[in-house]
């Protein structure tokens, strides 16, 4: 059906065009200027946020270690709490206590908590010596990081390259294309500013190797992005950091930075290695 251009229609259209031309030029100019100003304001605000996060990242990296209370929620039951020392000044390491029942290790120790080390890319669990098998007479159980993070994740998380330490988590903020300042909040009795950043797959930078692939931690949790919330307090230091990977949420509360003891692996003769057994079973440790 052809459109019939009646005199009334043409007149109405012409009037609209004349009106738009007559009083719209200034309006269009004003709107354009307003849009440009809004864009500049948004860029300026994002730059301010990134500058604050950059300062917090630099300060965290500089201090090299911290006493941290960590809670990991897997969406499958009781959260797993890990309280102790994280170190990243000379490679990533940790020395923490975990609730025995929460990590389902009550068959390996009578202690209510399990001391856990992460040194040189491997986990070590302080257990009771077992009567038989690879843990017979051993004080510690070892599981390589590749059984936890997958091969690509272990490579990204081990050594001085890091990836799992608080400092490296903070570094991940620089890859975010979506950042927000959520304002002032009090956390653990301390005044802070709450920031949020979202890292999509294309924003992950070096973390993409750690969180991609069939055996990756992020893939196993059903997520395709990382949401990071950080509460920055006095001296540009984080008071709390949360990271949400699909169904998994990790929360770190920082109690003290720097001046922590060195973390070393247990003597080899006291260690039983269960890495291959864990890989073959398809279970995830840690």
């Amino acid at each position: 059906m052809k459109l019939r251009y009646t005199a009334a229609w043409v007149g109405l259209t012409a009037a609209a065009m004349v009106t738009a031309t007559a009083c719209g030029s200034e309006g269009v100019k004003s709107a354009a200027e307003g849009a440009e100003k809004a864009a500049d304001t948004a860029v300026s605000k994002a730059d301010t946020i990134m500058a604050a996060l950059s300062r917090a990242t630099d300060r965290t990296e500089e201090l090299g270690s911290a006493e941290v209370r960590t809670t990991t929620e897997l969406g499958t039951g009781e959260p797993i709490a890990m309280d102790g020392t994280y170190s990243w000044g000379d490679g990533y390491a940790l020395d923490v206590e975990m609730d025995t029942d929460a990590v389902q290790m009550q068959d390996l120790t009578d202690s209510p908590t399990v001391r856990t080390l992460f040194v040189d890319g491997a986990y070590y669990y302080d257990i009771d010596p077992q009567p038989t098998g690879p843990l017979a007479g051993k004080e510690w159980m070892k599981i390589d990081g590749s059984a936890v993070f997958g091969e690509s994740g272990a490579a990204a998380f081990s050594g001085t390259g890091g990836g799992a330490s608080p400092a490296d988590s903070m570094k991940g903020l620089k890859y975010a294309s979506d950042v927000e300042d959520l304002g002032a909040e009090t956390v653990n009795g301390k005044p802070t500013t709450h920031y949020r950043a979202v890292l999509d797959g294309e924003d992950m930078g070096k973390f993409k190797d750690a969180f991609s692939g069939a055996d990756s931690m992020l893939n196993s949790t059903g997520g395709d992005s990382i949401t990071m919330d950080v509460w920055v307090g006095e001296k540009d230091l984080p008071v709390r950091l949360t990271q949400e990977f699909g169904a998994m949420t990790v929360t770190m509360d920082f109690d003290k930075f720097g001046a922590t003891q060195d973390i070393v692996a247990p003597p080899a003769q006291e260690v039983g290695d269960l890495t291959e057994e864990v890989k073959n079973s398809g279970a995830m440790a840690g």
Side-chain angles (χ1 to χ4, degrees):
M1 177 180 177
K2 293 183 179 180
L3 182 62
R4 297 185 180 182
Y5 295 91
T6 64
W9 187 89
V10 173
L12 178 61
T13 303
M17 291 178 65
V18 169
T19 302
T21 302
C23 64
S25 57
E26 285 302 317
V28 169
K29 180 180 178 182
S30 177
E33 290 174 348
E36 183 177 359
K37 184 176 181 181
D40 289 343
T41 299
V43 170
S44 177
K45 187 173 183 179
D47 288 344
T48 299
I49 294 172
M50 293 307 295
L53 294 176
S54 179
R55 290 193 302 271
T57 298
D58 291 344
R59 286 286 291 142
T60 302
E61 184 175 19
E62 175 188 348
L63 291 175
S65 61
E67 297 296 330
V68 186
R69 289 174 289 118
T70 302
T71 302
T72 302
E73 298 182 47
L74 301 174
T76 57
E78 183 179 355
I80 299 172
M82 298 180 6
D83 299 343
T85 299
Y86 286 70
S87 176
W88 53 89
D90 185 21
Y92 171 48
L94 62 79
D95 183 347
V96 299
E97 294 282 345
M98 300 192 299
D99 182 87
T100 301
D101 290 342
V103 293
Q104 300 179 14
M105 294 181 65
Q106 53 268 53
D107 290 340
L108 295 174
T109 179
D110 291 330
S111 173
T113 63
V114 178
R115 185 184 178 195
T116 303
L117 310 177
F118 184 79
V119 184
D120 296 330
Y123 284 96
Y124 297 87
Y125 302 89
D126 189 0
I127 60 169
D128 297 336
Q130 302 298 298
T132 59
L135 299 179
K138 304 297 184 180
E139 298 283 348
W140 294 87
M141 176 176 69
K142 176 183 178 180
I143 299 177
D144 190 76
S146 60
V148 181
F149 305 114
E151 296 293 342
S152 59
F157 286 157
S158 63
T160 56
S165 77
D168 284 299
S169 295
M170 293 291 291
K171 287 179 186 177
L173 293 166
K174 72 180 181 180
Y175 299 112
S177 58
D178 181 5
V179 293
E180 295 179 83
D181 180 343
L182 300 180
E185 296 180 18
T186 299
V187 176
N188 295 332
K190 301 174 183 178
T192 72
T193 301
H194 181 184
Y195 300 99
R196 175 170 294 160
V198 178
L199 284 72
D200 294 325
E202 61 271 19
D203 297 331
M204 290 186 188
K206 73 172 185 176
F207 293 97
K208 190 171 184 179
D209 289 339
F211 297 121
S212 61
D215 64 350
S216 75
M217 181 165 60
L218 184 60
N219 182 72
S220 69
T221 63
D224 56 5
S225 67
I226 303 173
T227 299
M228 300 177 65
D229 286 80
V230 59
W231 289 260
V232 179
E234 295 179 349
K235 300 181 181 179
D236 294 320
L237 286 171
V239 174
R240 173 177 291 169
L241 172 67
T242 69
Q243 301 169 86
E244 185 177 331
F245 315 80
M248 179 170 66
T249 301
V250 179
T251 301
M252 294 181 175
D253 285 301
F254 300 91
D255 293 326
K256 178 183 177 183
F257 281 91
T260 56
Q261 295 182 350
D262 290 339
I263 300 171
V264 298
Q269 66 271 20
E270 298 180 6
V271 176
D273 194 335
L274 255 65
T275 299
E276 291 307 315
E277 285 82 356
V278 170
K279 285 183 178 181
N280 292 337
S281 71
M284 295 283 284

